[in-house]
Amino acid sequence: MTTLIDRKDNVFVMSNRKSKYPVLQVDLRLISDLVVVIVSATIGGITFSCLGQPVIVGYLLAGSLIGPGGLNFISEMVQVETVAQFGVVFLLFALGLEFSLTKLKVVGTVAVLGGLLQIIIFMFLCGLTAMICGAKLSEGIFVGSFLSMSSTAVVSKFLVEKNSTNALHGQVTIATLILQDCAVGLLFALLPVLGGNSGLFRGIMSVSKMLLVLSIFMTAASILSWSFVPRFLKLMIQLSSQTNELYQLASVAFCLLLAWCSDKLGLSLELGSFVAGVMVSTTDFAQHTLEQVEAIRNLFAALFLASIGMLIHVHFLWNHVDILLASVILVVVIKTVVVTMVIKAFGYNTRTSFLVGLSLAQIGEFAFVLLSRASNLHLVEGKMYLLLLGTTALSLVTTPLMFKLIPAIMHLGILMHWFPAESNMQNEDKATMLEAYDRAV
């Protein structure tokens, strides 16, 4: 098999050889890998469903077993992970379809200000810890930004499964996750500054440019959402009166186009796909669009979660399970406490604040991307890199268990009089939403 090795000893398989005439070529390795991933994820999902456990755990563990850290059935991970990225795109597109723009305005203050405050608090705490322990301040600040990220894909999938997207804590959680996705681009702009590869002035200019591009993108999306999108979807409905095939294709194309534009502007694919969903949600075709893309979303979401599982190195986890378990417990406790305190500071009741804190008490999949970029900039190396990688993977695996325990924890909170009774909590949630709505209006 023809291969290419670059100056950093990365090996690439050359599957598309140049020929005199254009011919249809098939990457059989990619097809084989996708078959292995989808079949393994299916078996894992079925197994855990029969055990009464969330299927997400089955997807993650299936990926860990077939990946390089397990049985090594998948050798070309970059191709599978690239295809699996569509899972996050369609998941956030569907989330945007279900997300009410009015409710987004209601929780916008706590999402934007509270989300940014959470990131700043984690940066401060980890930076202070690094200085006390004699480590580099820049490394501590990066670890803080790294830990502040939560998993949009995993958390949003659980909220959808639990029908909690319209609950107050669900709205605050989703809005905060979207803010974190927006902040990823800013964190990428900050990494060269922390790594010492650019000056402070260049770093500030890079962040300012990112904010300007984000505001222009959101303004353009807002204009298109009332001028173009309703007419376009209405036309697709008329053209697909006999079959939904054309409407389904147009919906997917619209989602991918917005995601691609967002990525080309230096923002994230995830932000663009979520904005595309929100744009469609302002029309009368949101529910119909969701029905058309739901099956595609479920397939690629399973593929994405299995690909995340492939990053888990089973042998490394087993050899350092004590350190990693302690790290995960520390992350869960600290993130729950910090997020709960921040949400509480914005006037939400203890129960809602605690639910948001538990929902965000993991390290998100974007952390893998941030960690990879930081490693290339020599910001984190060696054992710290492996520790952060293992902690992130293990926190994602334990997230389904956390969501499974939330009802029991909340019931215990009521018995211990930490939270008010269920009826009082619903009344408090309604009162809080009405008050926030009045402020937004």
Side-chain angles (χ1 to χ4, degrees), residues 33 60 85 104 133 169 229 246 326 331 335 351 395 401 407 411:
D33 288 348
L60 289 169
Q85 189 64 28
L104 178 61
C133 297
H169 74 273
V229 174
L246 188 58
V331 167
K335 291 198 73 171
R351 172 186 174 271
S395 75
L401 177 62
H411 183 65

Side-chain angles (χ1 to χ4, degrees), residues 95 98-100 103-104 106-107 110 158-160 162-176 348-349 351-353 355-356 359 422 425-426 428-430 432-433:
L95 193 62
E98 296 178 320
F99 203 80
S100 169
K103 292 177 180 177
L104 178 61
V106 170
V107 297
V110 66
F158 268 106
L159 291 174
V160 170
K162 299 291 185 181
N163 296 320
S164 299
T165 53
N166 291 321
L168 181 58
H169 74 273
Q171 295 288 323
V172 175
T173 300
I174 293 171
T176 305
Y348 290 84
N349 61 55
R351 172 186 174 271
T352 300
S353 303
L355 277 171
V356 176
S359 299
E422 187 71 28
M425 288 188 293
Q426 292 177 355
E428 284 187 23
D429 285 350
K430 291 178 181 178
T432 305
M433 290 193 75

Side-chain angles (χ1 to χ4, degrees), residues 73-89:
F73 288 158
I74 306 295
S75 53
E76 302 298 329
M77 282 184 60
V78 63
Q79 293 178 306
V80 175
E81 289 175 352
T82 302
V83 176
Q85 189 64 28
F86 285 110
V88 186
V89 170

Side-chain angles (χ1 to χ4, degrees), residues 183-403:
V184 168
L186 300 179
L187 292 176
F188 274 130
L190 184 64
L191 284 181
V193 180
L194 295 176
N197 293 338
S198 65
L200 180 62
F201 177 75
R202 288 184 61 186
I204 293 174
M205 291 298 296
S206 180
V207 172
S208 301
K209 180 182 176 182
M210 189 74 66
L211 288 172
L212 178 62
V213 171
L214 178 62
S215 61
I216 294 173
F217 178 74
M218 297 302 291
T219 302
S222 178
I223 295 172
L224 288 173
S225 64
W226 60 263
S227 62
F228 170 74
V229 174
R231 295 180 176 87
F232 172 70
L233 294 178
K234 187 176 181 180
L235 176 63
M236 290 300 102
I237 286 284
Q238 294 172 351
L239 293 176
S240 59
S241 57
Q242 300 296 327
T243 174
N244 286 322
E245 179 182 349
L246 188 58
Y247 187 90
Q248 187 180 51
L249 183 63
S251 302
V252 171
F254 178 72
C255 167
L256 295 179
L257 179 62
L258 261 291
W260 179 80
C261 289
S262 175
D263 183 65
K264 286 297 180 182
L265 290 172
L267 307 172
S268 64
L269 286 168
E270 293 74 14
L271 175 64
S273 56
F274 178 79
V275 170
V278 173
M279 291 169 69
V280 177
S281 72
T282 60
T283 69
D284 298 329
F285 309 105
Q287 185 59 37
H288 181 67
T289 306
L290 180 61
E291 292 171 356
Q292 297 303 310
V293 301
E294 200 166 18
I296 301 174
R297 176 198 67 183
N298 293 337
L299 171 63
F300 280 101
L303 190 61
F304 169 75
L305 291 166
S307 71
I308 287 293
M310 288 192 294
L311 296 173
I312 301 172
H313 201 289
V314 179
H315 297 301
F316 177 79
L317 292 181
W318 181 255
N319 291 334
H320 303 84
V321 66
D322 50 347
I323 300 175
L324 290 171
L325 281 175
S327 301
V328 171
I329 292 172
L330 191 63
V331 167
V332 169
V333 172
I334 292 177
K335 291 198 73 171
T336 301
V337 171
V338 170
V339 174
T340 300
M341 291 175 63
V342 169
I343 303 299
K344 181 73 174 173
F346 281 83
Y348 290 84
N349 61 55
T350 306
R351 172 186 174 271
T352 300
S353 303
F354 190 59
L355 277 171
V356 176
L358 286 175
S359 299
L360 299 177
Q362 77 285 129
I363 307 174
E365 59 278 348
F366 280 126
F368 290 114
V369 187
L370 282 172
L371 190 58
S372 175
R373 185 72 60 89
S375 177
N376 293 334
L377 294 171
H378 305 289
L379 189 56
V380 288
E381 294 181 297
K383 294 180 180 180
M384 176 59 73
Y385 175 81
L386 293 175
L387 176 63
L388 292 176
L389 186 66
T391 303
T392 304
L394 196 57
S395 75
L396 284 173
V397 172
T398 55
T399 297
L401 177 62
M402 281 291 299
F403 272 88

